[in-house]
């Protein structure tokens, strides 16, 4: 045996030479651990582990049981060499087999002769020895690894230690892969739910623009996320008038969409009673003050268009001022009274405007005016007015212009437009 001098003096100390087979086993484990920790797909990881161990250690059979916390048992997630049990086979913790014993105690169990082990459950007839090793992360049971051998005492002590060391890596890798799999499943479920919610919300919007001789009326709403808090509608009345509404709930996403859906239902029932815009918003506000969560509110502009007189009467509940363009230029139409809906009780005033030939009336949400380009410059009211006056302008062309301006940099909020144009 080789020797080296000690640090304390000239004493000669022997160098411990590791057996060749042990060195080879350690090298195989190191390489296996490197491969295992790089795999993120759970099924691929487990298949790689059982095949790697079975091949490297001459096992008759290798498998991994995972802990099913919901059902409180162990489920076979991957196996090689077993002709009796396949994926999905279950064992009760503490009651069935060496796997059940190890899962309940957290201790490795080795049966050098399975014929003499009280916990062993017969599987392959040629199996004579078996080991079951717990897979744990921070004292939390992840699973159990098993390997069987066709010889009595088929796993020497050094191999058992190597397998236990490998299982420490396997436990972490499996736990990470399961977490990733769970997160992906949750994300996929959320995406499906979001798409279903989007489809439902889109179904609540008008299917088409109203046909009103002498007028061009259009609307469009584009949520910043899958669903949003903007909403618009066209409501026909029996006397030929039309109700035009655009609203914006505070906040974004699912919460805003739910509040908007509730608001829409109540508003519809009030508007179809043919009340004036002021009466509709006053009554709607009274209902929402009682129902809305604290801090939540809706801004809304509601107008009634009378094509026969070319007049529009509207009330505004804290919404952005409507843009009116006629021969005299651009005007932002204000009302005397009009708090956002749902904050506190109050009444609403009305404003009337006459639509001359070639005039334009635009209701819009802040997702339009606050869209930004790469230089953090906002789209703003001036660009909105400049586009609205163009021949062929509509709700669709306005939102297209906003998107072109933002160029992918940011429509930060739900963007909605109701556009009314009068022909010449």
């Amino acid at each position: 045996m080789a020797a080296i001098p000690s640090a304390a003096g000239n004493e000669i100390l022997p160098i411990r030479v590791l057996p060749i087979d042990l060195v080879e086993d350690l090298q195989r484990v190191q390489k296996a651990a490197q491969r295992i920790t790089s795999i993120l797909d759970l099924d691929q990881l487990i298949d790689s582990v059982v095949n790697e161990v079975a091949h490297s250690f001459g096992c008759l059979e290798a498998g991994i049981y995972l802990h099913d916390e919901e059902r409180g048992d162990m489920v076979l997630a991957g196996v090689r060499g077993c002709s009796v049990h396949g994926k999905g086979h279950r064992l009760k913790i503490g009651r069935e087999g060496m796997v059940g014993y190890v899962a309940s105690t957290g201790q490795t169990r080795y049966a050098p002769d399975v014929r003499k082990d009280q916990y062993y459950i017969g599987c392959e007839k040629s199996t004579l020895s078996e080991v079951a090793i717990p897979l744990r992360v921070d004292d939390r049971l992840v699973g159990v690894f098993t390997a069987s051998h066709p010889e009595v005492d088929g796993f020497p002590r050094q191999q058992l230690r190597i397998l236990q060391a490998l299982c420490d890596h396997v436990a972490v890798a499996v736990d990470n892969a399961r977490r990733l799999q769970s997160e992906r499943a949750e994300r996929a479920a959320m995406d499906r739910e979001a798409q279903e919610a989007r489809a439902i919300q889109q179904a609540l919007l008008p299917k088409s623009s109203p046909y009103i001789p002498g007028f061009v009326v259009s609307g469009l709403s584009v949520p910043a996320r899958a669903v949003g808090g903007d909403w618009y509608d066209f409501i026909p009345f029996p006397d030929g008038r039309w109700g035009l509404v655009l609203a914006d709930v505070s906040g974004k996403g699912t919460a805003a969409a739910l509040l908007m859906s509730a608001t829409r239902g109540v508003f519809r029932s009030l508007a179809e009673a043919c009340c004036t815009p002021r009466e509709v918003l006053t009554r709607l506000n009274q209902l929402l003050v009682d129902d809305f969560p604290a801090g939540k509110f809706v801004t809304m502009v509601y107008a009634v268009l009378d094509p026969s007189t070319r007049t529009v009467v509207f009330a505004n509940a804290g919404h952005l001022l409507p843009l009116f363009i006629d021969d005299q230029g651009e005007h932002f139409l204000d009302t005397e009274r009009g708090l956002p809906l749902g904050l506190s009780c109050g009444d609403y005033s009305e404003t009337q405007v006459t639509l001359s030939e070639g005039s334009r009336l635009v209701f819009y949400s802040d997702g339009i005016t606050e869209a930004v380009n790469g230089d953090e410059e906002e789209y703003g009211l001036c660009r909105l007015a400049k586009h609205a006056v163009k021949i062929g302008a509509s709700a669709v062309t306005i939102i297209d212009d906003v998107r072109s301006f933002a160029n992918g940099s940011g429509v930060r909020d739900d963007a909605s437009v109701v556009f009314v144009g009068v022909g010449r």
Side-chain angles (χ1 to χ4, degrees):
M1 179 180 292
I4 58 172
S6 70
N10 296 324
E11 179 183 358
I12 303 299
L13 300 177
I15 299 176
R16 183 182 180 187
V17 179
L18 298 177
I20 297 298
D21 57 346
L22 178 57
V23 173
E24 292 176 349
D25 285 344
L26 290 172
Q27 290 176 337
R28 283 198 300 270
V29 169
Q30 182 182 22
K31 293 178 180 179
Q34 291 173 345
R35 285 192 293 271
I36 288 167
T37 53
S38 66
I39 300 173
L40 296 178
D41 180 83
L42 181 61
D43 292 334
Q44 181 183 352
L45 168 64
I46 291 175
D47 287 343
S48 176
V49 171
V50 297
N51 283 286
E52 184 82 36
V53 172
H55 173 74
S56 298
F57 292 89
C59 300
L60 175 68
E61 177 188 341
I64 289 180
Y65 283 80
L66 295 182
H67 183 205
D68 186 337
E69 295 184 11
E70 291 185 0
R71 295 183 55 171
D73 58 12
M74 308 298 294
V75 58
L76 185 58
V79 63
R80 170 174 168 167
C82 181
S83 61
V84 178
H85 303 301
K87 289 184 179 181
H89 176 65
R90 292 180 177 271
L91 294 173
K92 293 182 175 58
I93 295 176
R95 296 171 56 185
E96 292 183 313
M98 294 175 61
V99 170
Y101 172 83
V102 170
S104 65
T105 64
Q107 299 176 353
T108 296
R109 185 168 186 84
Y110 176 44
D113 188 340
V114 296
R115 295 169 295 185
K116 301 177 181 179
D117 191 277
Q118 60 179 320
Y119 295 104
Y120 176 75
I121 297 177
C123 186
E124 300 300 319
K125 293 181 179 179
S126 53
T127 295
L128 292 178
S129 56
E130 181 168 299
V131 63
I133 303 173
L135 303 176
R136 302 182 68 86
V137 174
D138 297 331
D139 295 327
R140 178 170 48 84
L141 178 65
V142 174
V144 173
F145 169 82
T146 65
S148 61
H149 201 280
E151 299 176 4
V152 173
D153 200 11
F155 297 98
R157 184 179 298 273
Q158 67 184 35
Q159 278 196 352
L160 290 176
R161 289 178 177 174
I162 291 173
L163 281 174
Q164 287 178 312
L166 178 61
C167 283
D168 290 338
H169 293 283
V170 171
V172 173
V174 167
D175 189 52
N176 289 338
R178 291 187 83 179
R179 289 175 180 270
L180 179 62
Q181 184 183 65
S182 177
E183 290 173 0
R184 286 175 174 172
E186 290 179 3
R187 192 177 303 116
M190 292 177 63
D191 288 343
R192 288 193 299 270
E193 291 175 359
Q195 291 307 314
E196 291 174 359
R198 182 184 180 89
I200 292 172
Q201 187 175 51
Q202 291 298 310
L204 298 178
L205 297 175
K207 303 297 186 295
S208 61
S209 298
Y211 172 68
I212 307 175
F215 294 82
V216 177
V217 179
S218 60
L220 186 62
S221 181
V222 179
R225 301 177 183 174
V227 292
D230 279 11
W231 166 69
Y232 74 95
D233 206 353
F234 306 125
I235 304 170
F237 296 124
D239 60 4
R241 296 181 304 153
W242 283 84
L244 314 174
V245 58
L246 189 146
D248 181 4
V249 169
S250 59
K252 300 181 181 67
T254 303
L258 288 172
L259 293 176
M260 180 51 70
S261 178
T263 303
R264 174 189 181 275
V266 177
F267 172 84
R268 268 275 186 171
S269 64
L270 294 173
E272 290 173 359
C274 293
C275 299
T276 66
R278 179 186 65 80
E279 292 170 335
V280 170
L281 293 192
T282 300
R283 178 58 180 152
L284 178 60
N285 182 55
Q286 291 171 351
L287 297 173
L288 296 187
V289 165
D290 293 334
D291 292 344
F292 261 36
K296 292 295 183 180
F297 59 89
V298 180
T299 65
M300 179 184 293
V301 57
Y302 173 46
V304 174
L305 167 66
D306 188 340
S308 64
T309 60
R310 285 190 174 180
T311 58
V312 170
V313 178
F314 72 91
N316 192 337
H319 199 76
L320 299 175
L321 301 183
L323 168 64
F324 179 56
I325 304 173
D326 62 4
D327 293 339
Q328 304 301 315
E330 305 161 9
H331 317 274
F332 289 95
L333 306 177
D334 202 355
T335 54
E336 185 179 345
R337 298 181 305 279
L339 289 174
L341 304 169
L343 288 179
S344 64
C345 292
D347 65 346
Y348 296 82
S349 57
E350 293 177 342
T351 297
Q352 178 172 309
V353 60
T354 299
L355 303 177
S356 58
E357 290 185 1
S359 62
R360 312 291 171 90
L361 179 63
V362 184
F363 304 148
Y364 52 94
S365 67
D366 53 9
I368 297 294
T369 54
E370 294 178 3
V372 297
N373 61 15
D375 297 326
E376 290 295 310
E377 182 182 9
E378 290 190 347
Y379 185 77
L381 294 172
C382 291
R383 289 186 178 85
L384 174 61
K386 183 178 180 180
H387 183 88
V389 76
K390 292 181 178 179
I391 297 175
S394 68
V396 173
T397 65
I398 290 174
I399 287 187
D400 285 345
D401 191 54
V402 170
R403 284 171 163 168
S404 177
F405 171 81
N407 193 27
S409 297
V411 176
R412 295 176 172 176
D413 202 352
D414 306 329
S416 302
V417 178
V418 168
F419 178 91
V420 179
V422 184
R424 291 186 182 277

